[in-house]
Amino acid sequence: MIIRKFISFVLSGVLLVSLFKPSPVHAQSEAHVDAHVTGTGGAVASEDVHASKAGMTILDQGGNAIDAAIAVAAAQGVTRPYSGGIGGGGMMLIYLAEEDRHITIDARSVTPASFNDESYIDPTTGSIYPAAMRTSSGTSVSVPGTIKNWEVALEQYGTMSFEDVLQPAIQVAENGFIADHNFVRETNQHQDRFNLFSSTVAIYDQPRVGERIKNPDLAHTYRLIANEGADVFYEGEVAEAMVQTINEPPLVAHPDFRAVSSNWNAERGILKGDVSLNDFKGYEVITREATHSTYRGYDIYGMPPSSSGGITVGLLFNILEGYDVPNMGPVDALHHYFEASRAAFADRRAFIGDPAFTDIPENELLSMSYADHRRSLIDSSIARIGQIAPGNPQTEAMPQFPYDFQDVKNGQTWPSEHFHRIDTGPSSHPFDATFTVNDEQGQMTLSPRQDGRGSSYGRAAVTMESLADHELTMRVYGKPSSGDHRLRIWLNADVWQSGSTLPLNGYGLELNFGTNQLALQSVVDGQLRTVERIPFTFQDEWHDVTFRIENEQLKVAVSAENEDRTNQWLAVHSLDSSNQTSLDKGNVLLSMINFDHHHAQTLYVDHIDVTPINEARQMSIQEDVQQKAISPAEKAIIEEPEEFEHLEDDADESTIHLSVSDDEGNIVSYTSTIVSIGGNGMVVPGYGFLLNNAVYSRIPTESPDHPNYPRPGMRSLSSMSPTIVMEEDRPVLTIGAPGSDTIITTVSQIMMHMLDFNRSFPEAITEPRFSQRNNFDSATEYEGRYVNNESLAQIAELETRGHRFLANQAVQGIGAVTGIEFHENGQVTPTTEPERRGGGSAMVQHATLSFSDVHENTFGYNSIMRMAGLHVITGYTDGTFRPSQPINRGQSARILTNALELPVPENVDSTPFVDTPPGHTYADVAAAVYEAGIMIGSNNSQYFKGGDYLTRQQMASILVRGLELENTGQAVTIVDLDQTYDAHRENVEILTQHGITITEDNRFRPNENVSRAQLVVFLDRALD
């Protein structure tokens, strides 16, 4: 006897979605296509079918979009635990239709009182702990904000209680979910981290695809919150458990730290946290109005700081507003989009952080006049060189030369408006250098070189417009010393090489104060060559330096302050073709290197001026200098101390997004995160959730007054970009994505496809993605896995315009979008990824049919529409349903399994049927319908015969068994009942009694094959 399912849910319109693992997609098999769907009523778009179903359940119970969004997030915390959950924080954007109001809830995790700029410094070496140690540490945890977010959202904008909205997630946690390929991949990639902690490996330990994952501890935690509210999480037993976990991580008996990373200091072990209950008791979310910008008649609403999403997306589109993007070809559109994105990201990095600690010029950054200024620096024909500088939203003007440091107080850092990027060393040693002002002069101080390192160094990028041939003049003071320390000046340079004082391309002048020598250098595609050495005796006084690139010649003049040689070149070197870069324009970069193990070194600079050649003075060659030409052999092999640093990769970044709307027009766009995939790797023992590692990357590489300098009580800068687009007070789109700072480019690119090129959401989401974030290498990333021939051709053409590209080879691609498109006719299209990160799940309360071969005059049209909306039936991969095609027993079993939500075996490693072994297309559903007693096979149940067409009398039996239809005793007339097999005769009568198969001539036609449309009609009648 099977358990009767909740058929009343079907009658109220809830979506019935199978919980079993999808079978492989074949050309002639039914595929579970739910990446997008169009319909009316409420809608949910999430990364997981259980989560979407949880949201739909709440909507069908009368909850609003806010209630449903929390139900979705709670379920995602079970099934997508490595991306988000109650151990982290998030950003929620709400649209209240009745009030026509956009509200944001900032629930970013907050650093504890103990966190500061020394939290990651190894006291024995003075260096920063390796990234692997920081990533999986107690120190990296910030106080989670998710539960407080849910509480505030429910109390102020929802209609239900914690008890109501958490119930679907509790059931999923207790009953389990089926591990898919994405879950297994993410687990395997981080298994070495998880193996460090006993509470984590107890739940997440090398799962297999198809395995059922249960989490009763998380179900217990959800019940505690349902009964006691947020207090139990921030003041009660859950808070106490988190404090214990952070301060005394639950390590296994013999943790293998070196398996996680060879850079892990195993003797140091785990980095413990230092938190107290007071850190948790004091947590509060921040409710603000959304950011607002406009674009071509659309209104764009986003998250304000501490998220950078709303301002950055708004600025990007403000810049694009000045171009006729809709009438551009794809290459022109991408060129302008990349350049606008670079400008927006430059400003993001410079000006946005936690507003509790810094004044953020939000209004200025989102003003159209500032966008006009930033746009004026874009060349429509060619990309700008290197990492571009941020603007100045206060003055909207480029800094002027010469620069004399006269506007800066002693001890302050070199001003960012003149030096847009200052690196005080690699991320592992951020205290190599200081760039401060002393007596109106720029001071650079380098620490001694540490054992095991190539050098200590610092570097600065001058804020300027890229120039072709140009000249730099400056005053320099360096005390002559026996130590090997050098100043390098780079002209016509593009970007810094990672971990180096060399650009990828550029021309250099090196001043070596230890060896009393000058060197002219060329770097072409990363290869350094010294093309000329010039002996020069440095005096203990200031020197005037002039360095010029002009017509493939390097020219240098250096003279002590009391010498009368300021108008004479020390050297003029003609560059041969092998030493010439391909750059037409470039920038000025400065770097200082100390190879000395024993002494710190200090240099001073002043009066820095950069001028185009046509504005430079005329100079003659100095006749008494002894130049040393470099032989071709020396050019190729230059013996110098090694200065490169090995830089560790950052941890993978992970986040998750969901979108919900209800039939009243309310919308929730919600992004949450535990930061890295799997957070810090620690499950709170007994409570089943992973903790975040929100500040593992917050190391003191910036000046202390920078918006994101590590400090207690801060909300770390976020890229989360939940976004809502309106047109004339009507919602058009809501969208969001995971992916660290690629979130912003993913959201923006899809918005451009939809708003400028009128693509539907399902079309836009499948486009190959690019991500230009103004990184130090200036490269635009593209998806190596999803790139197509059209995109490759676009890349090739854009490279001729000066753009640089880098393939992102991540299996999951860039971002995993979810969102909802709102149509003028009132319909909605929730949309998720068809493939990236394992695909997503889109649902609506009342679906609109979209089979290409089903029309209003098709037999069974209404039933097909109804069953498709309930996700009981799906079409073929070519978009057809094939209503008149006979249906086989396997397809029938799948439809019945969907409709009745039959439990499917956790692992189909055996089946009751000889002809349906494990791995067969119908193995899972065959086992399900057999266990339910609906389809028992033939020849003593040995054969399922999934490929055989289903006859009408067989259909009668499976419907009667599946729906537990009873014999009413009513007499029925069936002319051809005698043609029915004895095993099916009573079931044919029962089906007829219930009015499911009546025909005008009273014939049942028991031996005819059932078409796909007929089965749907009969099932629809039976459910009714």
Side-chain angles (χ1 to χ4, degrees):
M1 192 76 158
I2 70 169
I3 300 175
R4 180 178 298 277
K5 301 296 174 182
F6 298 101
I7 302 302
S8 60
F9 279 12
V10 176
L11 299 180
S12 67
V14 71
L15 295 178
L16 295 179
V17 183
S18 169
L19 300 184
F20 60 79
K21 178 186 63 174
S23 62
V25 178
H26 303 286
Q28 295 297 319
S29 69
E30 291 191 324
H32 191 71
V33 181
D34 58 359
H36 65 272
V37 63
T38 297
T40 57
V44 176
S46 82
E47 286 195 37
D48 179 75
V49 65
H50 303 79
S52 293
K53 183 183 175 185
M56 295 306 299
T57 298
I58 295 302
L59 289 173
D60 281 305
Q61 290 176 356
N64 67 9
I66 293 87
D67 304 318
I70 295 168
V72 174
Q76 283 187 155
V78 179
T79 60
R80 299 300 309 274
Y82 307 145
S83 298
I86 60 176
M91 300 284 179
M92 181 179 283
L93 173 60
I94 300 171
Y95 174 63
L96 300 177
E98 186 173 349
E99 301 177 28
D100 190 25
R101 184 182 173 200
H102 295 81
I103 301 160
T104 69
I105 301 177
D106 181 338
R108 187 67 161 152
S109 303
V110 173
T111 55
S114 61
F115 186 76
N116 56 51
D117 55 1
E118 297 184 357
S119 294
Y120 292 126
I121 297 176
D122 186 341
T124 62
T125 65
S127 301
I128 298 293
Y129 286 113
M133 294 181 68
R134 305 194 310 266
T135 300
S136 300
S137 71
T139 318
S140 66
V141 182
S142 289
V143 178
T146 293
I147 292 300
K148 185 65 75 170
N149 182 348
W150 295 356
E151 178 185 64
V152 169
L154 285 176
E155 289 180 353
Q156 297 188 13
Y157 312 112
T159 65
M160 289 184 165
S161 67
F162 263 137
E163 184 178 6
D164 297 325
V165 300
L166 293 180
Q167 191 58 40
I170 291 171
Q171 294 177 356
V172 176
E174 289 184 332
N175 298 332
F177 64 96
I178 302 301
D180 61 11
H181 289 280
N182 184 72
F183 179 84
V184 170
R185 175 185 60 79
E186 290 186 342
T187 308
N188 290 341
Q189 287 178 348
H190 295 268
Q191 192 68 63
D192 288 335
R193 287 205 302 135
F194 297 163
N195 289 344
L196 298 178
F197 309 109
S198 57
S199 52
T200 307
V201 76
I203 303 174
Y204 308 119
D205 185 16
Q206 298 179 329
R208 294 174 296 170
V209 173
E211 181 180 348
R212 186 173 293 275
I213 309 296
K214 298 182 179 181
N215 194 339
D217 286 348
L218 183 54
H220 166 67
T221 303
Y222 281 161
R223 281 201 172 90
L224 286 174
I225 297 167
N227 294 331
E228 302 180 40
D231 285 350
V232 74
F233 191 87
Y234 291 98
E235 301 181 22
E237 65 176 87
V238 182
E240 293 173 350
M242 286 190 285
V243 170
Q244 176 66 22
T245 303
I246 294 166
N247 294 345
E248 296 293 335
L251 293 170
V252 297
H254 302 286
D256 188 355
F257 299 115
R258 301 285 288 181
V260 178
S261 171
S262 60
N263 293 314
W264 196 303
N265 183 347
E267 293 183 2
R268 175 63 177 80
I270 199 79
L271 300 181
K272 297 180 180 181
D274 181 15
V275 301
S276 70
L277 279 176
N278 287 334
D279 290 313
F280 287 83
K281 290 179 181 179
Y283 183 87
E284 294 292 342
V285 299
I286 299 174
T287 301
R288 298 186 178 99
E289 293 295 320
T291 62
H292 175 234
S293 57
T294 61
Y295 182 66
R296 298 183 52 242
Y298 298 100
D299 292 279
I300 301 173
Y301 295 89
M303 283 299 305
S306 62
S307 172
S308 62
I311 292 177
T312 310
V313 170
L315 174 55
L316 191 159
F317 280 99
N318 280 352
I319 295 171
L320 285 181
E321 178 87 63
Y323 302 111
D324 187 13
V325 177
N327 291 314
M328 288 182 178
V331 172
D332 276 341
L334 286 173
H335 168 77
H336 290 89
Y337 167 68
F338 293 161
E339 292 298 285
S341 183
R342 295 174 74 187
F345 268 87
D347 292 334
R348 168 192 180 272
R349 187 172 286 115
F351 301 116
I352 305 177
D354 186 345
F357 296 97
T358 186
D359 292 327
I360 300 170
E362 177 179 335
N363 293 334
E364 291 84 354
L365 287 168
L366 289 177
S367 70
M368 290 309 299
S369 63
Y370 183 65
D372 293 342
H373 164 65
R374 297 297 274 156
R375 190 186 314 111
S376 70
L377 304 176
I378 295 175
D379 188 327
S380 289
S381 61
I382 193 166
R384 284 171 287 181
I385 302 296
Q387 184 181 47
I388 68 169
N392 188 332
Q394 305 296 342
T395 66
E396 299 179 7
M398 288 289 284
Q400 300 297 309
F401 293 106
Y403 180 64
D404 290 317
F405 296 94
Q406 293 181 356
D407 54 350
V408 185
K409 296 179 180 179
N410 281 354
Q412 289 189 336
T413 303
W414 291 14
S416 58
E417 58 265 30
H418 290 274
F419 303 92
H420 69 89
R421 180 172 184 133
I422 293 178
D423 297 306
T424 58
S427 60
S428 57
H429 299 86
F431 307 115
D432 275 2
T434 60
F435 291 77
T436 56
V437 175
N438 185 18
D439 292 334
E440 297 185 345
Q441 296 158 354
Q443 176 178 308
M444 298 180 283
T445 301
L446 280 180
S447 61
R449 169 186 174 185
Q450 294 184 8
D451 291 339
R453 296 189 57 207
S455 68
S456 61
Y457 71 81
R459 58 193 189 185
V462 176
T463 301
M464 56 178 285
E465 293 187 49
S466 297
L467 297 173
D469 287 358
H470 54 280
E471 175 182 282
L472 176 136
T473 61
M474 63 191 300
R475 298 176 68 237
V476 177
Y477 173 80
K479 193 172 182 64
S481 166
S482 59
D484 189 352
H485 62 290
R486 315 175 187 185
L487 173 67
R488 284 174 170 167
I489 303 166
W490 300 99
L491 303 184
N492 208 45
D494 50 8
V495 295
W496 291 118
Q497 295 187 52
S498 179
S500 171
T501 60
L502 306 178
L504 187 64
N505 292 280
Y507 303 114
L509 169 64
E510 180 181 272
L511 290 72
N512 193 320
F513 297 91
T515 62
N516 283 315
Q517 193 175 67
L518 307 176
L520 294 176
Q521 298 176 325
S522 170
V523 182
V524 179
D525 296 332
Q527 297 300 309
L528 170 67
R529 292 182 177 180
T530 299
V531 297
E532 190 164 316
R533 296 188 191 279
I534 305 120
F536 184 88
T537 301
F538 288 96
Q539 307 297 320
D540 189 8
E541 56 184 297
W542 284 87
H543 292 76
D544 293 306
V545 177
T546 302
F547 183 34
R548 178 186 294 185
I549 171 68
E550 180 180 12
N551 297 327
E552 284 76 49
Q553 287 185 325
L554 299 182
K555 301 179 180 181
V556 59
V558 181
S559 61
E561 202 167 31
N562 60 359
E563 291 182 319
D564 186 21
R565 290 183 173 179
T566 55
N567 291 314
Q568 294 179 313
W569 295 119
L570 278 177
V572 175
H573 182 91
S574 296
L575 296 163
D576 61 37
S577 59
S578 65
N579 292 321
Q580 296 176 19
T581 73
S582 60
L583 302 179
D584 294 326
K585 295 181 179 181
N587 303 315
V588 173
L589 305 177
L590 304 176
S591 56
M592 179 181 175
I593 320 101
N594 187 13
F595 294 108
D596 192 330
H597 282 281
H598 305 292
H599 302 97
Q601 304 291 347
T602 299
L603 291 175
Y604 296 88
V605 297
D606 196 9
H607 199 80
I608 299 173
D609 196 8
V610 181
T611 56
I613 291 302
N614 60 4
E615 298 177 14
R617 57 185 172 158
Q618 297 298 314
M619 298 174 62
S620 61
I621 183 70
Q622 185 172 324
E623 297 179 356
D624 59 347
V625 68
Q626 298 178 2
Q627 301 176 20
K628 180 186 176 184
I630 305 298
S631 69
E634 276 189 286
K635 292 178 185 178
I637 305 174
I638 303 298
E639 293 188 5
E640 297 178 335
E642 178 60 51
E643 54 128 340
F644 282 85
E645 289 286 333
H646 170 70
L647 299 183
E648 295 182 272
D649 292 333
D650 285 338
D652 294 328
E653 300 289 339
S654 188
T655 311
I656 196 163
H657 185 79
L658 64 89
S659 302
V660 179
S661 64
D662 60 33
D663 58 5
E664 298 296 324
N666 302 307
I667 302 169
V668 176
S669 188
Y670 181 30
T671 313
S672 59
T673 186
I674 55 174
V675 185
S676 294
I677 296 176
N680 78 341
M682 301 177 195
V683 167
V684 179
Y687 296 89
F689 62 91
L690 285 156
L691 291 168
N692 70 80
N693 59 353
V695 289
Y696 83 90
S697 63
R698 285 291 166 242
I699 55 179
T701 55
E702 307 282 358
S703 64
D705 59 351
H706 191 276
N708 295 291
Y709 193 76
R711 53 176 68 94
M714 72 177 292
R715 295 169 189 260
S716 187
L717 178 66
S718 166
S719 298
M720 290 183 274
S721 304
T723 303
I724 295 175
V725 180
M726 310 282 287
E727 185 179 28
E728 297 179 353
D729 299 326
R730 179 186 68 83
V732 172
L733 170 69
T734 183
I735 185 173
S740 189
D741 52 0
T742 68
I743 293 173
I744 295 170
T745 56
T746 297
V747 167
S748 298
Q749 184 178 349
I750 290 179
M751 287 172 59
M752 184 177 72
H753 281 306
M754 296 181 68
L755 305 183
D756 285 323
F757 299 111
N758 296 318
R759 286 183 172 84
S760 69
F761 204 159
E763 291 172 333
I765 206 171
T766 59
E767 289 284 335
R769 286 180 194 146
F770 296 95
S771 184
Q772 170 51 257
R773 308 189 302 283
N774 195 43
N775 288 336
F776 77 94
D777 61 1
S778 78
T780 298
E781 291 183 17
Y782 67 91
E783 296 177 302
R785 181 176 180 185
Y786 295 98
V787 68
N788 55 28
N789 290 335
E790 182 180 0
S791 295
L792 289 174
Q794 292 167 356
I795 289 171
E797 187 170 346
L798 286 162
E799 284 178 329
T800 67
R801 298 193 185 191
H803 291 277
R804 301 180 64 244
F805 290 90
L806 179 68
N808 182 324
Q809 299 294 356
V811 173
Q812 67 271 23
I814 298 175
V817 173
T818 70
I820 304 171
E821 183 177 5
F822 301 88
H823 304 284
E824 292 186 19
N825 63 3
Q827 293 186 330
V828 291
T829 301
T831 303
T832 66
E833 299 285 355
E835 183 176 348
R836 293 180 182 93
R837 272 218 323 195
S841 170
M843 296 184 182
V844 292
Q845 286 185 291
H846 312 290
T848 301
L849 192 63
S850 59
F851 298 127
S852 62
D853 59 346
V854 176
H855 312 287
E856 290 190 7
N857 59 353
T858 300
F859 171 76
Y861 172 79
N862 290 331
S863 294
I864 293 171
M865 177 180 291
R866 176 179 171 82
M867 291 297 104
L870 298 175
H871 281 209
V872 170
I873 61 171
T874 56
Y876 287 86
T877 55
D878 63 359
T880 63
F881 179 68
R882 306 177 192 176
S884 60
Q885 178 175 296
I887 193 166
N888 63 37
R889 290 169 53 84
Q891 293 170 336
S892 304
R894 191 169 301 284
I895 290 175
L896 264 294
T897 302
N898 286 347
L900 304 179
E901 293 184 317
L902 300 179
V904 179
E906 296 182 10
N907 297 295
V908 186
D909 43 19
S910 64
T911 71
F913 303 115
V914 174
D915 60 345
T916 314
H920 189 281
T921 299
Y922 299 126
D924 53 352
V925 292
V929 293
Y930 178 83
E931 290 297 324
I934 296 175
M935 298 176 73
I936 56 177
S938 59
N939 289 2
N940 297 320
S941 301
Q942 293 185 30
Y943 296 94
F944 180 65
K945 298 185 177 179
D948 286 4
Y949 292 138
L950 187 74
T951 65
R952 289 167 61 89
Q953 57 185 317
Q954 292 171 335
M955 176 202 64
S957 291
I958 65 175
L959 289 179
V960 169
R961 294 178 191 138
L963 298 174
E964 296 180 343
L965 300 177
E966 298 179 355
N967 194 324
T968 65
Q970 174 187 355
V972 293
T973 301
I974 304 174
V975 174
D976 51 0
L977 187 62
D978 59 337
Q979 299 176 21
T980 307
Y981 292 117
D982 292 342
H984 301 300
R985 183 166 294 130
E986 182 182 6
N987 292 329
V988 169
E989 291 181 302
I990 292 173
L991 213 62
T992 305
Q993 288 171 352
H994 286 271
I996 295 173
T997 60
I998 293 176
T999 58
E1000 291 183 1
D1001 59 1
N1002 291 326
R1003 294 181 180 276
F1004 184 76
R1005 299 178 175 83
N1007 295 309
E1008 286 187 5
N1009 295 329
V1010 180
S1011 72
R1012 290 167 57 83
Q1014 288 174 333
L1015 178 63
V1016 171
V1017 170
F1018 296 149
L1019 178 61
D1020 191 25
R1021 291 175 181 170
L1023 291 173
D1024 227 359

